[in-house]
Amino acid sequence: MSAATRIIAIEGLSAATAAIAKEAGIPNGSLFTYFETKADLLNQLYVELKTEMAAAALERLPLASDIHTQMRHMWFHSLRWATSYPEKRRTLAHLAVSEDITPDSRQKGHQTMVGIAKLLEQSRQNGPMHDVPLALVAALMSAMADATIDFMTQDPAHADKHATAAFDAMWRMLT
């Protein structure tokens, strides 16, 4: 999976399975011992990366704290994961738009985000976004995160400032 992540991050979804196998240090045919098709590999990788990202975002979530503190914690942890693992972020972005990702895999990926969705739901409860579909709110948050991550990686000296400014903007949007 690490080899697939590295190769897809560099070459995109058109990466050859031979390149992935070579990166993994195994014969090309051996790859198909683990995955029946390239699409199977992509689907498993998608679910694994979504699971890892969600787990990182919610790691050590301060459940006894108020919703603002919990959302801030989730925001900063998710940004930290994305900036710490740029290849995984880039690969996940490729996979998210792939036609090879099955509805079942998308559903599994969605399930990994249930904890984040609950935080979003609580955050917007009394705010201007309370009647907006949760999927739209999540998409807006994701777009803000992507823009923030880009600024953080381009200007690492001010990464915390960018992350804080974006969180504050998102919080005002929600509440």
Side-chain angles (χ1 to χ4, degrees):
M1 298 310 263
S2 296
T5 299
R6 284 190 298 277
I7 295 299
I8 293 169
I10 295 166
E11 298 182 18
L13 295 172
S14 63
T17 56
I20 295 169
K22 182 178 179 183
E23 179 71 18
I26 61 172
N28 188 34
S30 295
L31 189 66
F32 296 105
T33 300
Y34 304 100
F35 307 99
E36 193 171 313
T37 66
K38 180 180 176 183
D40 290 339
L41 167 66
L42 298 178
N43 278 275
Q44 185 170 333
L45 183 57
Y46 173 80
V47 172
E48 284 189 18
L49 290 175
K50 290 286 273 189
T51 301
E52 182 181 326
M53 181 180 65
L58 298 173
E59 184 178 8
R60 294 188 306 273
L61 184 70
L63 297 173
S65 298
D66 63 16
I67 190 63
H68 179 270
T69 302
Q70 290 181 39
M71 279 293 290
R72 191 172 198 284
H73 176 94
M74 180 275 301
W75 178 257
F76 277 87
H77 275 73
S78 60
L79 296 181
R80 188 172 301 121
W81 180 86
T83 57
S84 296
Y85 303 103
E87 285 180 338
K88 291 179 179 182
R89 175 183 176 235
R90 193 169 25 260
T91 297
L92 189 54
H94 287 305
L95 293 169
V97 297
S98 172
E99 292 179 6
D100 286 325
I101 304 304
T102 65
D104 181 57
S105 292
R106 290 192 190 282
Q107 180 59 28
K108 287 177 183 173
H110 179 73
Q111 287 301 313
T112 68
M113 299 293 176
V114 167
I116 294 170
K118 286 180 182 177
L119 290 175
L120 274 176
E121 196 65 63
Q122 290 175 356
S123 297
R124 72 185 186 134
Q125 201 167 24
N126 298 313
M129 304 293 276
H130 72 277
D131 285 335
V132 175
L134 184 59
L136 175 56
V137 176
L140 290 169
M141 185 182 95
S142 180
M144 290 179 77
D146 284 341
T148 304
I149 292 161
D150 289 344
F151 271 82
M152 291 172 72
T153 55
Q154 293 167 11
D155 184 14
H158 298 103
D160 285 342
K161 279 183 166 180
H162 299 313
T164 298
F167 174 78
D168 292 344
M170 182 187 63
W171 187 251
R172 285 190 304 273
M173 174 186 78
L174 293 171
T175 63

